[in-house]
Each structure stands twice: as C-alpha cells, then as structure tokens.
C-alpha cells in the first residue's frame, strides 16, 4: 500500500497511525478487463485509487461513446458528480485492462473528513484538481485544432494512457474522429 501512501503524500503529510486508519477503510478490488464498474443511473458509493490497471469514464450520446477521463496507476477515479452529490451517475466507469483498485465508500471518507480535518484538505484538493482538469479540457476542446488537442493530450497524460488506450477512445475524448486522429498522428510522426 506504499503506492497509495505516496499518492496521498502529495496532498498531505500522514503519520503512521493516520495512514493505518485510512488503510483500515480501504477495500482491495480485482477488476477484469472490460468490466463496467459503474453504470448509468447507478448511485456511486465508492472512490477508487488505481494500484494497477487502466480505466475510463464515458457516457453515451445517440448511441456513441464519449470518453470523459482516463486513469492508470497512482490516480483516483469514479463518477465524481454522482459520488459528490450522491445522485445517479451520468457516466460509466470501465476497466480497459485488468485492474487492482483500492476503494473507499462515500460514508467512510466523509467520516474521515469529520474526524480528521487533515483529510478534508485531501478532499478539497482532489475536487480542485478535478475542476481544473474539466476546465482545461473544455477550453482545449473548444478552442484548439485537432493537432493541438492531441499534442496537449500526449504532453499532459501519463505515457501508459497515451500508449495503451485504444485510439478510438482517445479520438472520442478529444472530440475528433478516429480518422482525424490517425491523420494527426501520421503528420506528427513525419515532422
């Protein structure tokens, strides 16, 4: 569990007994490739930390999958709007590869917030990071060319995500067609 401790240390310093408390609340989940972890209209009760694997969130629009987020080792993921508001999810969460996740329930995390103000700082920073991620993505999708979007994606995202997420999903995430992404990738490799 050193991986989650290291990740949490980016948000706050933890004494051994504080980390032991968090550890006691975590559940380890082994997820197989292509498993849907969260479905549309499901009330989300867990926040996930990716120990290993690759996941995505997406929604359907006219039967087409629109990817909204990717996460791999050392990152947090859930359907954040549903988790925070405790309302039905508007997106799916799927494992793109076999994954090992640590999960904590909404109730357990909120109990930690109430008992230990230090943990509330973690929640605040995580929410701020998610807001900035969504804002940045919205600005790029609305104002940049396909090439600029892809260059930003390969610069911003973990190498594992760039290399292992299927191009169809990356194109959807960037708001471009797979054909356009293929053309952009070819153009970049030539230059």
């Amino acid at each position: 569990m050193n991986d989650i401790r290291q990740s949490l240390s980016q948000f706050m310093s933890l004494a051994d007994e504080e980390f032991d408390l968090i550890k006691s609340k975590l559940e380890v989940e082994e997820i197989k490739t292509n498993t849907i972890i969260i479905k549309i209209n499901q009330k989300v009760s867990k926040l996930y930390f990716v120990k290993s694997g690759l996941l995505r969130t997406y929604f359907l629009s006219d039967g087409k999958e629109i990817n909204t987020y990717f996460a791999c080792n050392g990152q947090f993921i859930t359907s954040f709007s549903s988790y925070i508001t405790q309302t039905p999810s508007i997106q799916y969460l799927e494992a793109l590869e076999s994954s090992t996740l640590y999960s904590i329930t909404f109730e357990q995390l909120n109990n930690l917030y109430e008992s230990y103000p230090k943990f509330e700082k973690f929640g605040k920073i995580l929410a701020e990071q998610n807001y900035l991620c969504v804002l940045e993505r919205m600005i790029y999708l609305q104002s940049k060319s396909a090439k600029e979007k892809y260059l930003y994606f390969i610069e911003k995202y973990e190498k594992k995500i760039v290399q292992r997420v299927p191009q169809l999903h990356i194109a959807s995430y960037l708001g471009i067609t797979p054909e356009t992404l293929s053309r952009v990738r070819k153009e970049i490799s030539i230059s």
Side-chain angles (χ1 to χ4, degrees), residues 2 11 18 29 36 38 45 75 78 85 100 110-111 119 137 147-148 151 157 187 189:
N2 282 341
F11 301 101
E18 292 170 325
E29 300 187 35
I36 303 292
I38 297 172
S45 63
Q75 298 177 326
T78 192
T85 62
T100 302
N110 276 287
N111 287 341
F119 293 122
R137 180 168 178 254
K147 182 177 179 180
E148 289 170 318
L151 287 171
Y157 272 82
E187 180 184 321
S189 70

Side-chain angles (χ1 to χ4, degrees), residues 121-189:
K121 181 181 177 189
F122 159 74
K124 177 183 175 282
I125 293 170
L126 188 62
E128 288 169 350
Q129 286 181 342
N130 276 289
Y131 169 75
L132 292 174
C133 179
V134 168
L135 181 63
E136 248 178 46
R137 180 168 178 254
M138 183 181 68
I139 290 168
Y140 261 79
L141 287 179
Q142 293 181 353
S143 66
K144 303 297 180 188
S145 70
K147 182 177 179 180
E148 289 170 318
K149 290 177 192 180
Y150 184 67
L151 287 171
Y152 176 79
F153 178 80
I154 61 177
E155 174 189 313
K156 193 82 171 165
Y157 272 82
E158 295 286 330
K159 192 173 187 176
K160 178 178 181 176
I161 291 172
V162 173
Q163 292 175 341
R164 290 167 54 178
V165 168
Q167 296 304 299
L168 174 71
H169 295 323
I170 292 173
S172 162
Y173 177 81
L174 296 174
I176 60 179
T177 65
E179 296 78 15
T180 299
L181 178 57
S182 180
R183 196 169 41 255
V184 166
R185 286 169 46 92
K186 190 177 199 177
E187 180 184 321
I188 290 169
S189 70

Side-chain angles (χ1 to χ4, degrees), residues 69-121:
Y69 190 70
F70 303 107
C72 65
N73 309 25
Q75 298 177 326
F76 292 92
I77 191 166
T78 192
S79 174
F80 282 101
S81 61
S82 175
Y83 184 78
I84 292 166
T85 62
Q86 289 295 281
T87 57
S89 179
I90 58 171
Q91 57 188 347
Y92 294 91
L93 172 59
E94 178 185 23
L96 294 174
E97 297 179 354
S98 292
S99 301
T100 302
L101 310 175
Y102 297 124
S103 64
I104 187 166
T105 67
F106 179 82
E107 185 179 318
Q108 289 169 324
L109 188 58
N110 276 287
N111 287 341
L112 285 173
Y113 291 165
E114 290 172 17
S115 303
Y116 301 90
K118 181 186 271 192
F119 293 122
E120 203 167 29
K121 181 181 177 189

Side-chain angles (χ1 to χ4, degrees), residues 34-69:
N34 299 325
T35 299
I36 303 292
I37 302 162
I38 297 172
K39 296 179 178 138
I40 294 277
N41 294 321
Q42 175 183 336
K43 187 174 164 189
V44 177
S45 63
K46 293 180 180 180
L47 172 65
Y48 299 95
F49 175 82
V50 184
K51 176 178 173 45
S52 63
L54 186 58
L55 299 101
R56 72 176 175 137
T57 54
Y58 68 96
F59 65 93
L60 296 175
S61 177
D62 296 326
K64 184 177 168 190
E65 294 178 1
I66 309 296
N67 290 279
T68 56
Y69 190 70

